Amino acid sequence: MKKEIAKLIAMILICILTVGCGQQVAEIDADNNFNEAQEQNKPAEIVTAQVKVEYGADFSVEYLEGGVKKLVDGEGRTILVVPEGAKVPEGAEADEILKLPVKNIVACSSTFVSLMRPLDLLDRVKGVTTPQEDWFIDEIKDGLGNGEVMFVGGGSMGEPDYELVQALNPDLVMVYTGAGGQFAHIAKFEELDISYVVINDYTENDPLARLEWVKFLAAIFNVEEKANSFFTEVEATINAVSKKVAGAKQPKIAWCLIYEGTVFTPKGGSYVAKQIAMAGGDYAFKDLEPDQVGSAQLTVEAFFAGAVDADIFIYDSMGLPWITNIPAIIELAPALAEINPIVQGNAWAFQPWYYQALDKTHEQIEDLAAIFYPEFYPDHQVRHYLWLPRE
Amino acid sequence: MELEKIRSARVRGIMLLFICLLGIALIINISWGSIKIDVQEIIAVLKGQSENVVHNSVIWKIRLPRTLAALLGGAALAVAGLLLQVFFRNPIVEPFVLGISSGATLMVGLVILAGFSFGMESISPYLIIVSALAGAILVMCIVLLLSLKVRSIVTLLVIGLMVGYSCSAVTSILTALADRDRVHGFVIWSMGSFSNYTWDQVAIVAAVIIPFLAATFLICKPLNAFLMGEEYAKSMGVNIKLFRFVVVALASVLAAIVTAFTGPVSFIGMAIPHICRILFQTADNRILIPGTILGGAVITSLCDLAARMLISPIELPISAITSIFGAPIIVFMLLKRRTDMQ
């Protein structure tokens, strides 16, 4: 009896010690948070420009008196952005009151971080949910290495380590919602009194509407002018691409991701379908739920039927293993060896940084046009897609 | 007489051990985390004497609600498992054998995978919880109704399994039709986690679990009579129809409330009653019920600690930890008992 109890205790202690070892690795000092209060005593930030939602992105920005801004985020929540020293307008109701300056943010998606790059705001990112090895934005990768940025867990849509988030004492956390969203995080952030905004760029049906969320961020950080000039440049690039390829014979494009023998292909109403159209492509599955966003599941056979006579195949690499050659595609779905673009060797895949380059949407569309119409872009260096060799 | 004394001492000893372990589990769950907080500061925080905002928040709003949720959830699942193992006279039965988890999963699948918001503007944590609860209760009602009509316990078990399979089949179809973001979100939910518990949620869970656990003590005697067979229980004056209803209702509600707020948590419901039977060396439910409550609470809270600490800050699925740590313990104990008997 005593022996059994002793053994049970020993087993439990082993478990505890194992856990304890994990703790030592993860220890951080709570006092060493990134909320540098002294830096916040700067003059009030003044609104110098305004942003306008033009592509129907699912947010709004309204400019009130005294530099106060009324934002509605992806979940329909009202956020009042109040400049330092300014007063909240009387009678104003809001789900969140955000006092400027916002210096310390936690981004629960790497896509949000990419939207902060053209606004020169990467130094405000202090916590991320993607580990260092998966970053392709140098400032964040380096920051994670030197301790200026903290990995707070929560990768692959899992739960973040709320203790680490709390220790960072962020001015703002950026999350997304929707069916596959971070709805569970939100209740916890509310209990922790941590301000958050919902950025649902991924549910937009237009690449420009998706990118337009940069204006939402600009309104929060008072950098509207930068957002406007960036967005104008992006629009100009995309318009120039569409103009260049207009009237040419459109190549047929097949686009998918394969997981466990099932093919996920963008629906006809998705931003991917529109992106292909902007670059002058004829999307093979444009009639697949044309009023729906996101992706649809197809059998390999159904995808084969639609893609067999395509001209170009693009593989949407979501994560490891990154697809770097045609045999890797064939390994995922042997039947695809027979589709025309694979036979012709005209297959491409995303570069690993693709999903951390939302701010490079115009470059991605330009790349697509160059892939679709190499004759129009003889000297173009494709940046965000990788041509897949036969071996 | 001497043997009885030894048994009684053994039971008291193990109960005392469990109570001590419960205290230890509570302390280390509150003390350990990604943020280093020294013992004096923890005591100051608990006494309300600390002015450190981060420490207060971490202890009061993150560690405590989570720890209490794990203790309550573990106790509830373990007792639900014990009740059903006795009821079905089957040691591999677990709380979800009656389709409770599958019903909850189906309803959550309808929300996450199929996008049904049941009239709400958007998906919220509460919609997920209410959906899971509704699914679990719906399945529970079906099984309860059938328990009043079906005579054979085995038939009831098979019906429960079939209801579970049907729910799982519909969930599989929903998964097959959903896009990848939705599938990913659903998979995350189905892994189960105590990490998102807020105080409001802990209060709801406690308000259901504590009275239901207390109620299980009231059926200790009929449960013991049932161990000897249905006919024997009848001869002892047990109203079998009512007894069936009460056992299934208690087990189902306990499993349903945990699943709704945590997601499916495997292993605890099946394994803890085993561990307790081996440790206490008895089938007496007057001992096993408090034993499984304590054992379930201790092991689940320690597993939850491991889930959040092993590769912190990444959190591991709670069901994976309960199985990885628990399964070898059970196998070891079973083998040890056999060796001892030989």
Side-chain angles (χ1 to χ4, degrees), chain A residues 1 4 7 16 23 26 28 31 75 156 159 161-163 166-167 179 183 188 191 193 295 297 316 355, chain B residues 10 34-36 57 61 63 112 122 125 175-176 178-180 182 184 188 195-197 199 309 312:
Chain A
M1 158 77 183
E4 281 174 6
K7 278 177 184 168
I16 292 169
Q23 183 202 25
I28 67 155
D31 297 330
E75 199 56 35
S156 300
E159 312 303 336
D161 186 328
Y162 294 109
E163 292 189 18
Q166 181 68 80
F183 37 78
K188 197 68 198 174
E191 185 170 74
D193 290 328
S295 59
Q297 287 191 32
D316 172 351
Y355 283 103
Chain B
R10 179 189 188 91
S34 308
I35 303 300
K36 185 186 174 188
S57 202
K61 293 181 179 174
R63 291 185 192 170
I112 298 181
S122 61
T175 308
D179 71 35
R180 64 187 183 209
R182 288 173 186 268
H184 203 144
I188 293 292
S195 74
N196 291 310
Y197 268 89
W199 276 113
M309 294 299 298
S312 167

Side-chain angles (χ1 to χ4, degrees), chain B residues 133-185:
Chain B
L133 201 56
I137 288 173
L138 189 70
V139 170
M140 184 187 83
C141 289
I142 293 169
V143 176
L144 278 176
L145 278 174
L146 293 170
S147 75
L148 295 172
K149 297 200 170 179
V150 175
R151 291 196 63 167
S152 160
I153 288 174
V154 176
T155 309
L156 187 63
L157 179 60
V158 173
I159 289 171
L161 285 169
M162 292 306 119
V163 172
Y165 280 129
S166 306
C167 291
S168 301
V170 178
T171 308
S172 300
I173 292 169
L174 292 174
T175 308
L177 296 174
D179 71 35
R180 64 187 183 209
D181 292 330
R182 288 173 186 268
V183 172
H184 203 144

Side-chain angles (χ1 to χ4, degrees), chain B residues 86-100:
Chain B
V86 173
F87 182 66
F88 289 116
R89 290 193 210 102
N90 187 333
I92 59 162
V93 161
E94 50 133 10
F96 304 125
V97 74
L98 295 177
I100 306 295

Side-chain angles (χ1 to χ4, degrees), chain A residues 82-361:
Chain A
V82 183
E84 205 177 11
K87 282 185 180 171
V88 178
E90 272 186 38
E93 286 183 7
D95 297 295
E96 196 86 67
I97 293 175
L98 206 56
K99 295 206 170 164
L100 294 179
V102 175
K103 294 249 174 200
N104 172 7
I105 71 123
V106 171
C108 291
S109 163
S110 56
T111 308
F112 304 157
V113 178
S114 73
L115 284 178
M116 295 184 74
R117 180 164 45 192
L119 304 177
D120 296 326
L121 292 171
L122 291 176
D123 60 331
R124 312 275 178 109
V125 180
K126 301 298 180 191
V128 291
T129 54
T130 304
Q132 189 191 15
E133 60 271 22
D134 294 340
W135 279 99
F136 293 92
I137 297 174
D138 292 341
E139 291 86 340
I140 303 299
K141 203 176 181 78
D142 295 346
L144 283 161
N146 62 29
E148 283 178 11
V149 181
M150 183 184 286
F151 171 51
V152 296
S156 300
M157 294 185 184
E159 312 303 336
D161 186 328
Y162 294 109
E163 292 189 18
L164 295 180
V165 177
Q166 181 68 80
L168 283 172
N169 201 8
D171 298 323
L172 186 68
V173 177
M174 295 174 178
V175 295
Y176 57 88
T177 58
Q182 297 161 326
F183 37 78
H185 304 16
I186 288 173
K188 197 68 198 174
F189 288 142
E190 281 177 358
E191 185 170 74
L192 294 170
D193 290 328
I194 292 174
S195 298
Y196 67 91
V197 288
V198 178
I199 299 174
N200 282 343
D201 64 281
Y202 80 106
T203 60
E204 300 292 353
N205 62 2
D206 186 309
L208 280 167
R210 217 176 151 219
L211 190 58
E212 204 163 31
W213 279 89
V214 77
K215 296 178 182 174
F216 181 81
L217 294 182
I220 291 175
F221 293 95
N222 248 1
V223 287
E224 282 93 336
E225 218 166 302
K226 268 186 192 165
N228 286 338
S229 63
F230 164 72
F231 206 80
T232 306
E233 186 194 324
V234 169
E235 275 178 313
T237 308
I238 294 174
N239 287 338
V241 168
S242 296
K243 206 172 163 186
K244 195 167 189 172
V245 299
K249 187 179 177 294
Q250 292 189 323
K252 188 174 176 181
I253 312 301
W255 183 303
C256 78
L257 171 151
I258 302 162
Y259 181 71
E260 300 275 336
T262 300
V263 179
F264 292 83
T265 196
K267 292 177 184 171
S270 65
Y271 71 85
V272 175
K274 208 158 273 179
Q275 207 162 319
I276 293 169
M278 283 171 164
D282 174 25
Y283 180 39
F285 294 92
K286 59 179 179 288
D287 297 326
L288 180 70
E289 301 186 55
D291 53 347
Q292 295 291 315
V293 298
S295 59
Q297 287 191 32
L298 295 181
T299 58
V300 173
E301 189 180 325
F303 182 79
F304 180 88
V308 68
D309 60 345
D311 299 298
I312 294 159
F313 174 80
I314 293 177
Y315 188 78
D316 172 351
S317 305
M318 260 301 243
L320 294 171
W322 288 101
I323 297 296
T324 52
N325 53 36
I326 284 178
I329 303 269
I330 294 169
E331 200 175 313
L332 291 170
L336 296 190
E338 307 296 322
I339 66 171
N340 184 52
I342 298 281
V343 172
Q344 299 297 326
N346 212 351
W348 298 72
F350 287 7
Q351 291 282 13
W353 57 81
Y354 193 89
Y355 283 103
Q356 288 172 23
L358 179 55
D359 59 322
K360 311 283 185 192
T361 298

